[in-house]
Amino acid sequence: IGAAKSGKTSLVNAFVSNAFYTQYQPTRDLTLYYTTLRVAGTEDEPDFNCLVEIEDTWACNKIGDEKMELVYNPWWPSTKESALQESLMKEKWQTDVKKDKKIGADRTVLNPFSMSTAPVLETRDCDPCGRDMEGRRYQPLTRNRMVYFIVFDCNEPESYKIALSQEKALYEYLKKKDINVRPVVVLVATKIDENPGSPVSEQVLESAGQKSTKEGVPYERVSALKFQGVKRLFRKGVMMARMNQQLWLLESGIRTGNEANQE
C-alpha cells in the first residue's frame, strides 16, 4: 500500500522478475504476482520453500477511502465465513488423504493446489463484491492477507505522510470491524539510492527509524533500482507471517480453538 510513485510496482518487479523499468506506469488495477522463496530454517526446523503471492494495489491517494477499505479487509473479496468453510473442506480432504496414501502422494506432489481455487490475476475497477465491469471476479490464491507493506518514497515527505495515514487507517478499519486476526505491517522506505545523504531524505528516514524504535513497527529501507534490501524485505515478511500462526492456520486447513468451538 502506498501513494502514487512511491515505488510499489518497482519493488514487486525487482523481487519477482529481478527487473527495473524506468518508465512510470500507474497501477490502475489490483494485480497478483507469484514467485518462490527459500527461507533458512532454525535448529528445530529445516529450511523451507514457499510460494509468495503479492498483491500490487492502487495509489491510495488517487482513490476513495471506500475502495481502499477493500484491501484493508483481510478476507476480501471473500469473507471469513467462506474461508472457514473452505478450511473445513481442506481439513476433510487431509483426513481422507491419510486413509489413502496413494491419493495423498498424487495430490500433494503432482498437484499441490488441488484444493485451491485458481487465482484471477487482474481485474479492472472492482466493485465491493470483487467483480469488474466485465463480470470477472478478482480471486487471490490465499484466503486472507497476511502481510501489509506500507510503502513510501523516502525523498518525498508527503509520500511518508500518506504512508503513516494509511497505517492508521488500516488499524482503525480492523478495530471498527472487530477483526482479531491482525496482519503483519511493515514500513518500507523506497528509492534510498536516489538522493543519499540529502537533508530531506535523511529527515524522512530518521523519522521512520524513530517510529520503528518507539512503536516497534518493522521497518526496512530498499532500492528497487539497485535491488538493495529487496529480498531481505520479502524474506522478513514471510518469516513474520510464519511466526504468527493465526494468519495461516485457515490456509493450512487448521482451525483455531475458537473457530472449532463455533462449529
Side-chain angles (χ1 to χ4, degrees):
I1 294 175
K5 299 184 179 180
S6 61
K8 301 185 301 297
T9 304
S10 292
L11 183 59
V12 176
N13 284 327
F15 180 60
V16 174
S17 305
N18 202 35
F20 181 84
Y21 304 101
T22 57
Q23 185 174 359
Y24 173 70
Q25 195 168 22
T27 301
R28 302 186 184 281
D29 312 298
L30 295 176
T31 308
L32 299 172
Y33 297 80
Y34 296 88
T35 189
T36 57
L37 180 67
R38 184 171 182 80
V39 179
T42 63
E43 293 182 358
D44 301 324
E45 297 180 346
D47 296 355
F48 70 96
N49 295 312
C50 63
L51 175 66
V52 184
E53 179 177 61
I54 306 165
E55 180 181 49
D56 192 14
T57 66
W58 319 280
C60 61
N61 58 329
K62 299 295 184 181
I63 62 172
D65 294 341
E66 182 178 350
K67 200 168 184 180
M68 280 305 302
E69 287 187 350
L70 297 178
V71 293
Y72 295 160
N73 181 353
W75 314 102
W76 183 85
S78 184
T79 62
K80 184 177 181 179
E81 290 71 23
S82 296
L84 179 58
Q85 186 61 37
E86 291 178 9
S87 179
L88 291 172
M89 293 174 60
K90 190 168 186 177
E91 189 176 313
K92 180 180 183 303
W93 170 78
Q94 290 175 332
T95 301
D96 293 342
V97 164
K98 291 179 181 178
K99 297 177 182 178
D100 191 331
K101 293 183 178 180
K102 182 178 183 303
I103 292 178
D106 290 344
R107 288 186 176 177
T108 56
V109 177
L110 300 180
N111 190 8
F113 300 109
S114 58
M115 285 299 295
S116 301
T117 304
V120 178
L121 304 186
E122 179 181 4
T123 53
R124 300 185 182 280
D125 196 21
C126 291
D127 64 17
C129 296
R131 297 187 183 277
D132 69 0
M133 298 174 62
E134 299 177 17
R136 296 175 299 183
R137 182 176 177 82
Y138 180 64
Q139 184 63 57
L141 181 63
T142 48
R143 297 190 179 99
N144 57 284
R145 295 171 177 83
M146 304 180 195
V147 181
Y148 287 80
F149 289 161
I150 309 294
V151 181
F152 62 93
D153 180 352
C154 71
N155 305 284
E156 296 290 342
E158 184 62 23
S159 181
Y160 177 54
K161 181 179 178 181
I162 292 172
L164 295 181
S165 69
Q166 286 300 302
E167 180 200 27
K168 180 180 179 181
L170 170 60
Y171 284 129
E172 287 179 347
Y173 176 86
L174 296 175
K175 182 178 180 179
K176 178 177 67 175
K177 297 297 183 179
D178 197 24
I179 297 175
N180 296 320
V181 179
R182 292 301 177 95
V184 173
V185 177
V186 183
L187 276 179
V188 184
T190 63
K191 306 184 185 181
I192 60 173
D193 60 291
E194 192 169 291
N195 292 299
S198 73
V200 173
S201 64
E202 286 299 313
Q203 183 178 6
V204 170
L205 293 172
E206 182 180 359
S207 176
Q210 289 176 351
K211 175 181 174 63
S212 175
T213 302
K214 182 179 179 180
E215 301 180 15
V217 180
Y219 167 54
E220 292 291 329
R221 304 180 179 188
V222 301
S223 167
L225 175 62
K226 295 188 175 181
F227 303 99
Q228 182 178 344
V230 174
K231 184 167 285 189
R232 181 180 68 243
L233 169 66
F234 282 92
R235 183 179 286 112
K236 181 175 185 176
V238 169
M239 289 300 295
M240 293 185 72
R242 191 189 190 204
M243 289 187 294
N244 189 341
Q245 292 187 351
Q246 276 194 319
L247 294 175
W248 49 264
L249 285 180
L250 283 178
E251 193 60 39
S252 301
I254 306 171
R255 291 170 291 160
T256 63
N258 290 338
E259 289 160 348
N261 291 336
Q262 288 175 6
E263 289 299 311

